[in-house]
Amino acid sequence: MSAFFKMLAEKVESYIELRRSLGYSFKKQAATLRALARFVETEHLDGPLTQSMALNFVLSIEGAANGRAIRHGVLRRFCEYLAVYDARTEALDPRAFPRSRAIPPPRILSDEELASLMLACRRISPQYPERSVMLTMLVGLLASTGLRSGEGLRLDRADVDLVSGVLHIRRTKFRKDRLVPVHATTLAALRQYARLRDMAFPTPKDSAFFLSSRGNRLSKTGLALAFGAACKLAGLTCDKALRPHDLRHRFAVTRLAAWHRENADVQALLPLLATYLGHAHYTDTAYYVTGTADLLGMAADRALAYGGAS
């Protein structure tokens, strides 16, 4: 163990502790910095921490360009901290890994495609029926409420009121809690899932509402793997890949379409949709409004109707 590695590992931990004391969860960033320390140890590198060393570390990890840019940004801010203790630390060039701001458009499932996906969720992992039951309920919940997948994964049993049908969403993207009422059919499904879950895991390992096949909280990776398997089984992987987050987009679009069919004042109702989705401003909800052919057609018909009335 070199003196540089020992110093670097200690400063990594003190930096993580500092960031968390300021209110940041700092999980992915901490993993990146600890991976840097392991890289230095494995490659038998000596100090100081240089731009070349940082670039070699970032390039040693496979992944998308934006992922590399994010990791480099974490290292850049850490280097500013490390330079206080080791003046030889080089400042990293913020332009070394430019991030792409292109956001892939969401895939809005039709009613038939969503039905196929739900059927596939019930059929995955026949050797682990608990996994199929959990995935069916979680995917159904995301589709029927527009929750972020992380919000669903973080739900504890105490957050799900199986009497009144209200979800207590904590630690949202905007650091605010909110209450989300669910439809009666969703509540019935939640109650059924809870009964089956408790039969399968009478002594759960933690307080999570959604449990993996091992009886502990389902992880983000676990959801991604199970969701991908269900998409493949449903035949939804031929064109654009489907993400759990696309169900949130679908919820917003179908809610707006329903309001148009009801001839409701959509503009006046947008703040309600924003509150339900957990947005700080209803203008943020516009990001989720994808102009599907059906939605654009209904909006055009209403515009023409209003124009004809005048």
Side-chain angles (χ1 to χ4, degrees), residues 27-47:
K27 292 181 179 179
K28 293 182 179 180
Q29 299 91 331
T32 294
L33 294 175
R34 286 168 177 153
L36 170 67
R38 291 193 299 271
F39 177 79
V40 167
E41 182 183 29
T42 301
E43 298 296 322
H44 306 289
L45 302 177
D46 197 8

Side-chain angles (χ1 to χ4, degrees), residues 1-76:
M1 181 185 298
S2 68
F4 174 62
F5 164 74
K6 184 177 180 181
M7 183 276 294
L8 180 66
E10 290 176 351
K11 296 307 176 187
V12 162
E13 294 304 321
S14 61
Y15 180 67
I16 293 172
E17 183 178 354
L18 172 63
R19 297 292 289 183
R20 288 177 175 169
S21 70
L22 297 175
Y24 297 96
S25 59
F26 216 68
K27 292 181 179 179
K28 293 182 179 180
Q29 299 91 331
T32 294
L33 294 175
R34 286 168 177 153
L36 170 67
R38 291 193 299 271
F39 177 79
V40 167
E41 182 183 29
T42 301
E43 298 296 322
H44 306 289
L45 302 177
D46 197 8
L49 179 54
T50 63
Q51 180 161 274
S52 175
M53 187 186 300
L55 291 176
N56 289 336
F57 163 70
V58 171
L59 292 172
S60 70
I61 303 175
E62 295 183 359
N66 275 358
R68 290 176 174 174
I70 291 171
R71 283 189 288 272
H72 187 263
V74 172
L75 297 189
R76 185 164 57 86

Side-chain angles (χ1 to χ4, degrees), residues 115-180:
S116 297
L117 176 61
M118 296 300 296
L119 180 61
C121 288
R122 299 186 184 97
R123 293 166 52 200
I124 67 164
S125 303
Q127 67 274 31
Y128 296 108
E130 302 87 2
R131 188 178 187 227
S132 301
V133 172
M134 175 279 302
L135 184 64
T136 302
M137 183 63 251
L138 181 53
V139 170
L141 184 66
L142 298 181
S144 63
T145 63
L147 292 183
R148 301 176 180 91
S149 58
E151 293 173 343
L153 293 175
R154 288 194 297 271
L155 282 173
D156 285 340
R157 297 181 182 217
D159 297 331
V160 182
D161 189 335
L162 294 175
V163 176
S164 62
V166 175
L167 310 179
H168 190 171
I169 309 301
R170 307 175 191 272
R171 295 170 290 165
T172 68
K173 182 177 180 180
F174 299 98
R175 298 180 181 274
K176 292 182 179 180
D177 293 358
R178 75 183 190 278
L179 298 177
V180 175

Side-chain angles (χ1 to χ4, degrees), residues 175-239:
R175 298 180 181 274
K176 292 182 179 180
D177 293 358
R178 75 183 190 278
L179 298 177
V180 175
V182 301
H183 191 270
T185 55
T186 303
L187 175 58
L190 286 168
R191 289 171 177 168
Q192 182 182 21
Y193 166 74
R195 286 194 297 268
L196 295 174
R197 177 203 62 201
D198 293 345
M199 290 173 58
F201 303 104
T203 55
K205 298 178 181 178
D206 56 40
S207 61
F209 185 81
F210 289 107
L211 299 181
S212 70
S213 57
R214 296 181 179 180
N216 52 9
R217 187 182 301 275
L218 180 68
S219 67
K220 187 176 182 180
T221 301
L223 172 60
L225 291 174
F227 188 79
C231 289
K232 184 176 181 180
L233 190 60
L236 297 175
T237 56
C238 298
D239 301 319

Side-chain angles (χ1 to χ4, degrees), residues 254-266:
T254 54
R255 184 66 264 164
L256 289 175
W259 283 336
H260 275 292
R261 285 193 295 268
E262 297 164 2
N263 289 320
D265 187 345
V266 176

